[in-house]
Amino acid sequence: AILSLGIAQAQSPELSAPPAIDGEVVGDHGSHTIRMGFGLSEGSPQYLSSRYFADILEQRSEGRLTVQVFPNSQLGDDVQMMEMLQTGTLDMTYPSSSAATSYVSELAVFDLPFLLPSREAAIEVLQSEAAQSMLDAFEGSGIKALTFSENGYRQLSNSARPVASPEDVAGLDVRGLTVRTMENPVHLAIWEALGANPTPMAFGELFSAMEQGVVDGQENPWSTILTSNFQEVQDYGSETRHVYTPFVMMMSERTWDRLHPDYQALVQEAARQSAAYEIQISAEYDDWAREQLEERGMQITRLDDAQIAAFQEAVQPVYEEWAPEIGEELIAEIQQIAASVADD
Ligand code: KDG
């Protein structure tokens, strides 16, 4: 039994420890249990940082605020859980921004391909006023958006063939890859432009869809691919970095309104602190995950600048179609923030 445990517990990366919890203990304003659900699994940076969020609340409320974390889509998918927040049947969820564009259309700016050239630029954008206004724009929807954090750069994986070009996605003599996407129209447009057959699907259904051959592939950060064991059903990976996806940590407005203002302030502070921690370990985890995937037999294709440029060119129609919809001004503002980091 001990041996099999050893095998099940995959090696884990060396991640920074969460910062010590400091700050005053908040006065007694009653007890609350907060239930938070999301799609990723126990090993993920998202999960680890949500545990840190729980610890901050618990310690600083002397146990009066407790957080129950439900990973693995146990309570539903991103879209369903946001609806549960609106009706007050769930307190918190933590989806990709891409799942929330029907609430705040500006969030779709993050779905534009090859928009954010580096993590540094992406993080600067997440901390900008423009990003804060996107969180504020949830007001009135039944959802209180607390903070952005990092899902990360999305990479293509598939079970059919190595992919180094849009032609490999589209297939010349063979059919185009069937690629699962999030339920987001910009993502659909990206994979259509690349000649794939995009198939939107909830994250929780993805592993078995790949196992059964319903889809050939999917796209997610290396850390998600590893913590979801996708390498068991995906032989090929390509470092496309085609989209940088944030997460949005959010609470039901009904839950928020029930909390004493001191508790609200604590929740908001803990959300920011745990997001900062998540962003830190997400990068550490992602590098390690790529190595691990290779060690476990995934053949990963790294793309040089010219190869990336070919992908960029192929997805230009996505900008033509979506930029007017998302807002040329917003896109320019985000690009400017990103460029200010690159120029540093
Ligand atoms: O916990 C987050 C997941 O529910 C989901 O948002 C992950 O990027 C994701 C995907 O591909 O669905």
Side-chain angles (χ1 to χ4, degrees):
I2 291 171
L3 258 183
S4 62
L5 241 186
I7 292 164
Q9 295 227 316
Q11 274 174 282
S12 40
E14 277 177 36
L15 300 175
S16 301
I21 299 168
D22 52 18
E24 273 168 45
V25 167
V26 173
D28 182 356
H29 304 293
S31 297
H32 298 267
T33 302
I34 295 167
R35 295 161 78 239
M36 166 158 54
F38 49 80
L40 299 189
S41 72
E42 283 88 349
S44 63
Q46 184 175 44
Y47 178 84
L48 300 173
S49 64
S50 66
R51 297 287 350 153
Y52 180 50
F53 173 76
D55 289 345
I56 298 172
L57 288 195
E58 213 153 304
Q59 278 196 36
R60 294 193 51 198
S61 69
E62 290 186 317
R64 282 183 278 267
L65 296 179
T66 50
V67 182
Q68 293 175 349
V69 179
F70 298 89
N72 284 319
S73 310
Q74 283 172 61
L75 304 182
D77 61 41
D78 287 346
V79 174
Q80 291 165 337
M81 286 190 286
M82 285 187 284
E83 286 167 5
M84 289 164 77
L85 258 52
Q86 290 181 286
T87 56
T89 48
L90 177 65
D91 302 304
M92 290 185 74
T93 189
Y94 208 163
S96 296
S97 57
S98 320
T101 55
S102 57
Y103 294 94
V104 173
S105 58
E106 289 82 1
L107 285 174
V109 74
F110 291 112
D111 298 312
L112 289 169
F114 304 104
L115 179 78
L116 299 170
S118 68
R119 286 189 76 248
E120 292 68 30
I123 290 159
E124 189 79 12
V125 169
L126 295 186
Q127 290 165 348
S128 67
E129 271 173 40
Q132 184 58 47
S133 356
M134 294 181 209
L135 299 179
D136 296 343
F138 276 88
E139 190 164 355
S141 69
I143 291 173
K144 168 83 185 165
L146 296 168
T147 184
F148 281 106
S149 72
E150 172 172 289
N151 187 348
Y153 280 107
R154 307 183 76 85
Q155 324 281 9
L156 176 68
S157 75
N158 85 96
S159 58
R161 52 185 178 257
V163 169
S165 67
E167 289 73 28
D168 294 334
V169 175
L172 291 175
D173 312 322
V174 285
R175 64 182 174 80
L177 294 176
T178 304
V179 177
R180 176 270 177 178
T181 67
M182 290 187 282
E183 294 171 52
N184 175 287
V186 183
H187 286 244
L188 277 175
I190 294 173
W191 292 97
E192 265 159 23
L194 290 170
N197 302 307
T199 308
M201 187 185 291
F203 184 77
E205 289 162 27
L206 179 52
F207 186 92
S208 62
M210 292 190 294
E211 193 174 35
Q212 291 162 16
V214 176
V215 294
D216 300 312
Q218 64 83 47
E219 40 87 62
N220 255 298
W222 297 128
S223 55
T224 298
I225 294 174
L226 180 67
T227 55
S228 309
N229 285 323
F230 289 168
Q231 77 283 354
E232 290 176 6
V233 290
Q234 300 277 274
D235 288 340
Y236 308 102
S238 301
E239 195 147 59
T240 48
R241 292 166 57 90
H242 51 277
V243 170
Y244 177 93
T245 314
F247 285 131
V248 185
M249 186 189 257
M250 44 178 77
M251 183 175 255
S252 165
E253 230 157 46
R254 296 192 188 206
T255 307
W256 177 260
D257 291 342
R258 273 201 303 270
L259 297 177
H260 184 278
D262 291 353
Y263 282 173
Q264 290 179 346
L266 175 56
V267 165
Q268 181 62 73
E269 201 184 329
R272 291 216 180 92
Q273 288 172 345
S274 69
Y277 178 57
E278 195 272 344
I279 286 171
Q280 181 179 13
I281 59 172
S282 168
E284 296 169 354
Y285 207 111
D286 208 50
D287 292 342
W288 179 83
R290 188 187 54 196
E291 277 170 38
Q292 275 296 307
L293 288 168
E294 285 184 319
E295 246 171 64
R296 294 172 196 208
M298 186 181 263
Q299 183 185 324
I300 294 184
T301 305
R302 287 167 175 76
L303 305 177
D304 63 26
D305 291 351
Q307 287 169 316
I308 290 288
F311 277 92
Q312 278 178 301
E313 202 184 307
V315 296
Q316 266 318 299
V318 178
Y319 276 83
E320 277 139 43
E321 186 187 348
W322 283 95
E325 200 93 9
I326 295 168
E328 313 267 4
E329 252 175 64
L330 174 64
I331 298 170
E333 187 182 352
I334 300 296
Q335 282 171 329
Q336 207 181 334
I337 299 169
S340 73
V341 176
D343 293 346
D344 275 351

